[in-house]
Amino acid sequence: MNHFKFSDYDCIGFDLDSTIIQYKIKNLLLLIYDVTANYLIEKKGYDPKYLKKPLTVREFDFLQKGLFFDFQRGNILKLTPEGNVHLASHGTKMMNKAEIEKYYPNREWEISKIFSKDPLITWNGPLSLKIRTVLDVFDTPAVLIFARVVDTLDEKNGKPLNDYNIWPDILDAFVFIYSRENLQNNTGHFFSALQENPDKYINKSNEKVLTWIRNLKENNKKTFLITGSNSDFVEVTTNYALGKEWKSLFDIIVCYAKKPAFFTEKRPFYSLKNYYENKIVTNEEFQLGETYNQGNWQELVKFFCNITGASSPKCLYVGDNLLQDIYAPNDKAQCDTVAISVEHLVEGMLNHDFYHIDKDIINSNVWGSFFTLQDSNGYKDSFWNNIIKKNSKICIPDLEVVVDKYLDEPIECFTQENNDKALNGYYPAKPTTTSSLQL
């Protein structure tokens, strides 16, 4: 039986958003939805009829993480690990079996098959305009936005269109919302909302989690932070959630990392001036405790070699985005990972099945379990649960569940022999309801 221990690693790193910092998910989803919808209506001329409808319980159910867009057909899909279509909707209307087969004979779609073999192939380039997935709270509202626009266009046309050209406009909306210049310029409405009212959107971090990270350093572990956020937004969230001394938790901080490319390409690191790139720096110039922008994994590992004295330091990365934080570092950079999945808060593994213990905006009555798919043959892994099992050591709902464990205490981990109903690797293996996360 294989086991995982934090003490086995020389360097332990973390993503920030939804890993160390937890958000008040419902409020954040509503903010992102509203800002995106308003942009499409005001800047792109979209009909407000459906976009401005209030979000009901059913609409929140529709917003499951890990769904896929078929942009051309106006469909939203839930996939099997092989890339076959398990469930689908056209706009907001769920398809029956016959309708799925009409769009996808034998439930197969060539593009999703390509994605299943290597998700990063479709990250950029022509295929990125045919398929995309949503994997965190910042892009999940696009599922309902896209679906409601499809409904509007179908209604106006009297039938489904042959081609939907919606995604470029949604991308423009996201650029408008998330461009890093917005915080300094007080534009885009998203960053300013969090800065002005952080208690509405951000949870205060559990002090036990911060003590646990400090304990890693006291036990001679090198700690690092890699986040896609720019350093000014990082300060907004961390100063509120972690306290103003938060930088002392880490031996090096990397912002605006542009994951997953951070783990696959060789962009240079930059020193910072007024939160933006200043000069290119190499690993020999890195200073302990300092913050840098962009960069790449290979250069960071050289720095770890310098500060640990190890020729091949053993590294671990903890994150929630299953593509950027789990698949990319493990498959492309051979870095071990721990997956954070908030769905674990409301789905547990009992009697070798996943059993729903709660009904809220994390759990979906529309799309079913995040972890498993059910068909006439019983339960099997979902696409993303298969990614978790293959590319992480363990899956936890949040960091709070490990802070009371000794660093050298073994946790049963995923193995190559895991089948669809194997529970090893999920910690705790039974659902936890003790998290301080506020929904």
Side-chain angles (χ1 to χ4, degrees):
M1 187 176 295
N2 291 343
H3 289 90
F4 160 89
K5 293 186 291 185
F6 284 99
S7 61
D8 286 340
Y9 295 89
D10 302 299
C11 306
I12 300 176
F14 303 88
D15 178 38
L16 183 64
D17 298 313
S18 302
T19 298
I20 294 177
I21 290 179
Q22 299 291 351
Y23 291 93
K24 296 178 181 177
I25 297 173
K26 184 174 183 179
N27 290 346
L28 196 63
L29 286 172
L30 286 170
L31 171 65
I32 297 166
Y33 178 91
D34 287 343
V35 174
T36 307
N38 288 337
Y39 177 90
L40 292 176
I41 293 166
E42 296 168 7
K43 302 295 185 181
K44 298 292 185 176
Y46 280 79
D47 192 327
K49 178 178 179 179
Y50 293 120
L51 283 176
K52 295 296 284 185
K53 286 180 65 176
L55 272 64
T56 65
V57 172
R58 199 268 180 184
E59 272 74 37
F60 277 116
D61 269 351
F62 199 74
L63 293 176
Q64 188 176 69
K65 184 175 77 177
L67 299 174
F68 292 80
F69 296 105
D70 176 348
F71 292 132
Q72 182 177 356
R73 298 183 177 98
N75 297 341
I76 297 165
L77 314 175
K78 187 164 188 172
L79 300 180
T80 70
E82 301 77 26
N84 292 335
V85 179
H86 177 70
L87 294 173
S89 74
H90 180 74
T92 63
K93 301 173 181 65
M94 297 303 295
M95 296 185 202
N96 59 35
K97 293 180 180 179
E99 290 169 330
I100 292 175
E101 289 284 345
K102 179 182 177 181
Y103 279 106
Y104 310 100
N106 299 316
R107 295 187 175 251
E108 293 183 350
W109 181 31
E110 179 185 0
I111 306 301
S112 59
K113 289 284 192 181
I114 295 172
F115 188 101
S116 70
K117 292 175 182 176
D118 184 353
L120 297 189
I121 290 176
T122 65
W123 187 253
N124 292 305
L127 289 180
S128 67
L129 298 177
K130 295 181 179 295
I131 188 172
R132 192 178 178 93
T133 186
V134 293
L135 283 173
D136 58 43
V137 67
F138 298 104
D139 59 9
T140 298
V143 170
L144 186 58
I145 294 280
F146 180 81
R148 283 181 160 180
V149 171
V150 170
D151 289 350
T152 301
L153 294 175
D154 286 356
E155 184 176 278
K156 287 185 174 181
N157 191 53
K159 61 180 181 180
L161 305 181
N162 293 324
D163 192 5
Y164 295 83
N165 192 30
I166 303 165
W167 185 244
D169 291 335
I170 296 178
L171 275 183
D172 286 349
F174 280 171
V175 170
F176 168 76
I177 295 169
Y178 297 128
S179 289
R180 58 176 177 162
E181 295 80 11
N182 287 348
L183 185 58
Q184 301 297 317
N185 297 334
N186 196 28
T187 54
H189 307 305
F190 173 76
F191 294 124
S192 57
L194 270 68
Q195 187 172 36
E196 293 166 7
N197 201 2
D199 61 316
K200 183 176 180 180
Y201 301 105
I202 306 170
N203 285 300
K204 291 280 190 180
S205 294
N206 188 330
E207 183 59 36
K208 293 175 72 174
V209 172
L210 309 186
T211 300
W212 181 78
I213 297 175
R214 293 188 191 100
N215 188 44
L216 292 174
K217 296 186 70 174
E218 291 170 1
N219 282 270
N220 298 316
K221 308 300 179 186
K222 303 304 179 184
T223 58
F224 59 99
L225 182 74
I226 304 175
T227 175
S229 298
N230 203 53
S231 57
D232 51 356
F233 182 60
V234 169
E235 287 194 1
V236 169
T237 58
T238 51
N239 286 346
Y240 175 80
L242 312 182
K244 293 188 177 181
E245 301 301 318
W246 67 272
K247 288 186 178 180
S248 66
L249 296 170
F250 307 105
D251 291 296
I252 188 169
I253 299 163
V254 182
C255 297
Y256 200 54
K258 298 188 175 183
K259 296 178 289 185
F262 181 88
F263 296 102
T264 62
E265 299 180 11
K266 293 187 177 180
R267 292 189 176 99
F269 281 92
Y270 291 87
S271 62
L272 297 185
K273 183 177 181 180
N274 298 325
Y275 302 112
Y276 292 95
E277 290 80 1
N278 184 26
K279 297 179 180 179
I280 291 177
V281 292
T282 65
N283 70 86
E284 291 90 354
E285 300 171 286
F286 291 168
Q287 300 293 318
L288 283 171
E290 287 299 316
T291 302
Y292 302 94
N293 263 20
Q294 299 193 39
N296 65 85
W297 178 251
Q298 296 94 324
E299 187 91 356
L300 187 60
V301 170
K302 291 178 182 177
F303 174 68
F304 294 154
C305 294
N306 296 338
I307 62 175
T308 63
S311 59
S312 298
K314 194 170 183 183
C315 300
L316 179 74
Y317 187 60
V318 183
D320 72 294
N321 188 300
L322 299 179
L323 186 60
Q324 298 180 23
D325 301 331
I326 305 303
Y327 176 79
N330 184 254
D331 190 81
K332 305 302 181 184
Q334 291 72 57
C335 175
D336 286 350
T337 70
V338 168
I340 301 278
S341 178
V342 69
E343 289 75 15
H344 197 351
L345 290 168
V346 292
E347 292 191 43
M349 286 61 78
L350 299 173
N351 299 322
H352 296 273
D353 284 325
F354 295 96
Y355 176 73
H356 298 273
I357 64 170
D358 198 3
K359 292 182 180 180
D360 56 24
I361 61 170
I362 300 295
N363 216 18
S364 176
N365 293 317
V366 175
W367 298 101
S369 167
F370 176 75
F371 294 99
T372 61
L373 309 175
Q374 185 177 12
D375 58 22
S376 57
N377 296 318
Y379 289 93
K380 61 183 179 181
D381 285 339
S382 67
F383 181 93
W384 292 109
N385 198 30
N386 185 60
I387 292 288
I388 289 172
K389 286 183 175 182
K390 287 186 174 181
N391 295 279
S392 67
K393 289 295 185 181
I394 61 172
C395 176
I396 59 178
D398 56 43
L399 284 171
E400 291 183 30
V401 303
V402 298
V403 297
D404 292 326
K405 297 181 73 68
Y406 293 109
L407 296 182
D408 60 356
E409 188 173 346
I411 302 173
E412 192 175 354
C413 64
F414 295 118
T415 68
Q416 292 300 315
E417 294 73 37
N418 272 0
N419 58 41
D420 285 343
K421 296 186 178 181
L423 301 184
N424 20 338
Y426 302 99
Y427 183 81
K430 292 185 179 181
T432 177
T433 58
T434 60
S435 173
S436 63
L437 181 68
Q438 299 175 30
L439 300 176

